[in-house]
Amino acid sequence: MSAPASSTQEIPQAGDVPRHVAIIMDGNGRWAQRRRLPRIAGHRRGAEAVRATVRACAERGIRYLTLFAFSSENWRRPAEEVALLMKLFKTALQNEVDKLHASGVRLKVVGDTSRFDPKLRKLIERGEELTAGNTALTLTVAANYGGRWDILQAMTQYLQKNPATRTVDEGALAPYLAMSYAPEPDLFIRTGGEQRISNFLLWQLAYTELYFTDSLWPDFDGAALDRAIASYRSRERRFGRTSEQLQEAKRPEVA
Ligand code: FPP
């Protein structure tokens, strides 16, 4: 299979339904705090929103869904919250992987998983292996992931394989990036009201349409996804070209 297109090297195909949606799921803590519940209750509801969103994406023909579940910087949270999040990931993997498999979902986890406990790593490995042949939807969970980590780990691997090299181009580096199996995201969604990328897919978001919503992640559902897709459809994706060039390309040829 050929490598997915790079948006800075060629003009990717862009359809009405985004092929790849990447989401920063923010606002779990605030959702819980507003209800005077512990923060972990918000993460639990967040896990339910994940389930609903995976289903909604599959129903709409989205082929890749990437979720930022735990950033390299999230270790800075209180130890108790980190431990409870790890427990939640384990439970989710134990309960959901068979269902994902039955629905034809391929599970991938990207990030530096070496810092996770062996049981969690085993569950990740099992989930990836079991679902490796599925083609309906690729669900990528970014866990202990950071965009800078990704670029640096790709560069490190590249240099280890090519020790004599003095320059590197995009095409040479791309296969070493953690998400080399996926096209770049068409649509990025961040819930929870903040408008930043927070060290998510820095390389891959070069030409992605950005959508921010004040909704908190536990409230995200199919209708919220549809609003994001409607916004995406209203954008003109120029990939560096002028608007006139796009109109020209759309005009039917006159004989
Ligand atoms: C951000 O909300 C959310 C996280 C750091 C964790 C995301 C985890 C889940 C949605 C749970 C399950 C995920 C999977 C893949 C099973 P926040 O705590 O920063 O919210 P706040 O900004 O309101 O404090």
Side-chain angles (χ1 to χ4, degrees):
M1 210 181 75
S2 63
S6 157
S7 58
T8 55
Q9 304 291 297
E10 49 190 283
I11 299 162
Q13 279 186 335
D16 262 1
V17 174
R19 216 166 20 145
H20 183 174
V21 176
I23 307 183
I24 295 188
M25 311 178 286
D26 200 6
N28 293 347
R30 276 165 286 162
W31 184 93
Q33 276 158 357
R34 282 178 198 176
R35 289 162 180 76
R36 300 187 187 288
L37 295 169
R39 291 177 59 84
I40 191 66
H43 294 314
R44 276 196 207 102
R45 284 298 289 258
E48 283 174 35
V50 168
R51 209 173 296 131
T53 303
V54 170
R55 203 176 313 124
C57 284
E59 284 166 5
R60 284 154 185 77
I62 290 163
R63 305 303 302 273
Y64 296 85
L65 171 64
T66 301
L67 303 174
F68 207 5
F70 195 85
S71 77
S72 338
E73 289 75 43
N74 283 151
W75 297 105
R76 298 171 184 164
R77 293 189 172 211
E80 192 199 18
E81 182 171 342
V82 171
L84 287 167
L85 270 170
M86 293 299 147
K87 206 167 147 205
L88 188 60
F89 296 150
K90 273 186 214 159
T91 313
L93 285 162
Q94 276 159 343
N95 295 342
E96 303 298 332
V97 162
D98 289 338
K99 288 180 221 160
L100 290 174
H101 185 44
S103 314
V105 176
R106 170 169 69 147
L107 176 70
K108 301 281 271 180
V109 175
V110 294
D112 180 7
T113 53
S114 66
R115 203 167 155 189
F116 293 153
D117 86 47
K119 193 168 170 212
L120 179 53
R121 275 161 41 198
K122 196 92 211 137
L123 285 166
I124 291 172
E125 216 173 280
R126 178 188 166 259
E128 289 190 322
E129 269 170 28
L130 179 71
T131 63
N134 294 339
T135 56
L137 169 75
T138 297
L139 168 64
T140 301
V141 176
N144 197 18
Y145 177 88
R148 290 187 182 179
W149 164 84
D150 192 5
I151 295 167
L152 292 172
Q153 70 77 27
M155 198 66 206
T156 305
Q157 280 193 69
Y158 178 82
L159 288 172
Q160 276 163 1
K161 295 231 167 75
N162 305 277
T165 198
R166 297 186 67 83
T167 56
V168 54
D169 62 28
E170 266 202 34
L173 192 67
Y176 297 98
L177 290 163
M179 293 203 60
S180 59
Y181 54 86
E184 293 171 22
D186 302 293
L187 172 62
F188 161 94
I189 299 172
R190 180 174 187 147
T191 61
E194 309 290 353
Q195 304 201 352
R196 52 176 172 260
I197 307 289
S198 296
N199 199 16
F200 195 21
L201 303 158
L202 296 181
W203 179 284
Q204 297 85 346
L205 293 175
Y207 272 104
T208 302
E209 296 298 328
L210 308 180
Y211 176 85
F212 299 95
T213 168
D214 289 336
S215 300
L216 304 177
W217 175 251
D219 296 323
F220 197 84
D221 56 11
L225 178 65
D226 287 337
R227 285 193 288 278
I229 294 175
S231 167
Y232 166 81
R233 280 198 184 128
S234 73
R235 319 270 180 100
E236 185 182 67
R237 303 194 73 194
R238 295 200 293 272
F239 299 102
R241 293 164 295 176
T242 66
S243 193
E244 289 70 28
Q245 283 175 303
L246 288 185
Q247 299 313 320
E248 192 66 39
K250 276 189 206 149
R251 209 166 289 148
E253 273 182 37
V254 186

